[in-house]
Amino acid sequence: MKSIDQPAVKQQIVERIGKLRADLSRRWGRMNARQVVCHLNDAFLATMGEKAVPIDPDFRWRRVIKWCALYIPTPWPEGVPTRPEIDQEFNGTPPSDFEADRQTLLALVERFTMQQRDFEFQPHPMFLGMTEWQWMRWGYLHTDHHLRQFGV
């Protein structure tokens, strides 16, 4: 199973981020490419404890959905709602300069995958605590999901 800390997988993700353009049309969802870069930034920052995203207390089937999301070897489905704190149409960080936002994303991918981390993983708002492997798998799946959204 792919995870973002595998060197070849990480390199593919970095290259795909490099192909993302502000003017690309989405294949599904509401976010444009500018918003999705900021959404990914916010999601990584939340895992590092630098953006507050409260735990969803009413999330039913938490364990089952967590297992399915991380262990079933299939791409994530289209149109899954996101938390308002990392939704750029609500409380997420608004896009600014696309290239600067993309460079931030690349830096966050690098920081997220470092072996000597300067942060501790925070509980996922829906899945709660996760192992390092689960976080690396999530990092790949979440980033891949949104890159596929724009065909890169």
Side-chain angles (χ1 to χ4, degrees):
M1 282 189 224
K2 292 183 178 181
S3 64
I4 201 165
D5 63 336
Q6 297 167 333
V9 173
K10 180 178 168 182
Q11 184 59 38
Q12 289 172 347
I13 290 292
V14 166
E15 290 171 6
R16 290 169 66 196
I17 292 169
K19 294 177 184 175
L20 195 59
R21 295 189 334 261
D23 63 344
L24 285 177
S25 297
R26 62 184 171 258
R27 295 178 171 183
W28 71 80
R30 296 183 335 262
M31 287 187 277
N32 62 41
R34 297 168 59 82
Q35 292 170 319
V36 89
V37 169
C38 291
H39 166 74
L40 289 168
N41 289 345
D42 283 351
F44 279 119
L45 289 169
T47 69
M48 298 175 189
E50 295 179 21
K51 180 156 181 73
V53 179
I55 301 297
D56 185 345
D58 297 323
F59 189 66
R60 300 191 193 322
W61 304 101
R62 190 181 307 272
R63 289 186 181 140
V64 171
I65 292 176
K66 175 182 175 178
W67 189 89
C68 290
L70 298 177
Y71 293 94
I72 293 179
T74 180
W76 285 357
E78 303 166 7
V80 175
T82 191
R83 303 283 302 168
E85 297 83 7
I86 58 173
D87 185 332
Q88 277 42 57
E89 293 185 354
F90 294 99
N91 298 326
T93 304
S96 59
D97 175 70
F98 181 76
E99 189 54 36
D101 290 340
R102 181 170 40 189
Q103 290 303 315
T104 298
L105 176 56
L106 291 168
L108 287 169
V109 167
E110 185 61 36
R111 186 172 168 216
F112 185 79
T113 58
M114 289 174 34
Q115 290 300 311
Q116 299 292 325
R117 292 189 184 86
D118 60 352
F119 65 91
E120 290 185 27
F121 289 114
Q122 300 302 301
H124 188 279
M126 294 180 288
F127 302 155
L128 301 178
M130 298 206 297
T131 66
E132 181 173 336
W133 182 87
Q134 289 172 329
W135 274 119
M136 294 300 122
R137 178 77 173 145
W138 169 89
Y140 167 73
L141 291 166
H142 187 233
T143 307
D144 173 69
H145 172 77
H146 287 294
L147 293 172
R148 283 187 302 103
Q149 185 177 359
F150 291 91
V152 296

